Amino acid sequence: MSGRFSAHGQVAIVGYAQSPVVRHADKTLGVLATETARQAIADAGLEVGQVDGFVSATLFPTAGAHAAEDGVSIVTPNWLAANLGVDPSYAAGFQGMGQITGSVSMAVNALASGAADYIVLHRALHNPPGRYHENPMTQAGGSQQWTVPQGYFGPLVMIALLYNEYVQRYGATREAMAQVVVEARKNGARLPWSYWHDRPLTAEEYLAAPLINDPICRFDCDIPVDGVAAFILTSAERARDLPHRPVYVAGYASGAPSRARLPLHWPLDDVQEVGAAMAQRLWASSGISPAEVDLPQVYDGFSPFVYLWMEALGLCGEGEAHRLVLDGGIDADRPGTLPVLSGGGALGNGRMHGIPQMLECYLQLSGRAGDRQRSASVGVACHSSPHFGGAVVYTSEPS
Amino acid sequence: MSELRRPVPVPDEASAPYWEAAARHRLALPRCSRCARLCLPPSSICPSCHSTEPDFSWEELEGRGQVRSWTVIRQSFLPGFADEVPFVLVDVELDVQEELRMIARLLDGPDAPLGVGSRVQLGFEDLPGGAAVPAFELEADS
Ligand SMILES: [Zn+2]
């Protein structure tokens, strides 16, 4: 990759739909996805028959003993196309980390190359019956032999080690993290589709929660849900004829750690080093500088990622995010702050992966945020960790 | 009491020497014959020099190191650990090679004084059936 992305401003989001985010939907995930996709297509002013591209990521992010079944616990692009009655010219799934930003990059590439004209990008997330991560295994082979026999299991432990490294290095407190989670839940409480609609959290409630894997408590983790979101993407040229104001993709980047690690081991140095390189590629590809971003939407599936993304994007110095947060620096209701969780994030919506970040960028930059409307023209939507996931820069103007 | 037992490791061709050594309470790691670097977990390609013919030789090591991070597990998603909580997991950088990290239990318990840089040495937990899992203990004089 060198210099500005040649598809800069050439692809736009032109419509969307977001299902209610609930603990357990009263219909199958496949039905929810099909209905949500139809809604998004109609929202973009299109007919189902005009859509010729399908992109998604199907990771079922549970460590538990749950099967991934198409149409039930996951929904692949091909499944969705078939159930909408479309024979697509392009259908593909993203396999890496940063499922939402990675899916966007595939959709952009397909549209910019002419492989498809109108793409449905969807994400369907499922909360299976029973405990989400619980796994009754009594034997550990393959990659799990390096973690499971010593009780090192599931994503919380991975995040706990990473977060404690941050806490020890920079002196971050639970009081600061309480402000992160309170901010996410405050903004999520204002979203009619959110699982946490009308249910904000207080700092006292956060601080009273027992630790699960020190220093992580349950409020640091997004809650597993059933939910589907779909976006329609097309070329900037086609977007001009559609009803809503387009939101353009200026560039994207993803992280790619080269150092071999144990499974589930995300040391802080890796996150910072590889994350900084990812951010450099992001700014180079988009032709945007961090100072121009007025709508940063950081990933928060686990709350420590808020600090790590703020720092990776250069919104503050390394190790400084927790202090900025403690000083009210991410309060989206105060002028002059960094509204990094104005869309509620995953903590304020439910486990929708990077959808809340992308959706907030779309709603605000297209002027469709209703009474939450902010004045913003450059958004960044992040997903997963800065060193494994990625970010997309969105703009309200094509260049 | 949990009815499920703690998960035991299932060795494979690449990992058999590691678990065989562990059962004898020794730490063995593969060393690349091309670049002389150790790796964990064992791999078919050397993660340091990327040779596809690393001709690894297994070497027994002392297993001392320093704590880089830790967490106290108060709730486990593995039912087989229900009777073990709370327990401590430590992320340890081994002295023998920069950035060679192991994650294992700290046998001193959740109240042991811990900090970044705390010195630890290898210990082992015996599991039913003859397997043993590497763990760490705080060095006596640290
Ligand atoms: Zn080598």
Side-chain angles (χ1 to χ4, degrees), chain A residues 140 145 149-150 161 212 214 265, chain B residues 6 15 19 69 71 74 103:
Chain A
Q145 70 187 295
Q150 58 268 47
L161 286 178
I212 304 172
D214 300 13
H265 190 204
Chain B
R6 251 182 84 168
S15 68
W19 293 115
S69 188
T71 181
R74 300 183 189 276
I103 294 163

Side-chain angles (χ1 to χ4, degrees), chain B residues 32 34-35 46 49:
Chain B
C32 173
R34 310 282 170 228
C35 71
C46 173
C49 72

Side-chain angles (χ1 to χ4, degrees), chain A residues 206-230:
Chain A
Y206 177 89
L207 293 169
L211 300 182
I212 304 172
N213 293 176
D214 300 13
I216 296 281
C217 73
R218 69 187 172 102
F219 293 125
D220 293 307
C221 314
D222 56 358
I223 191 165
V225 293
D226 280 343
V228 178

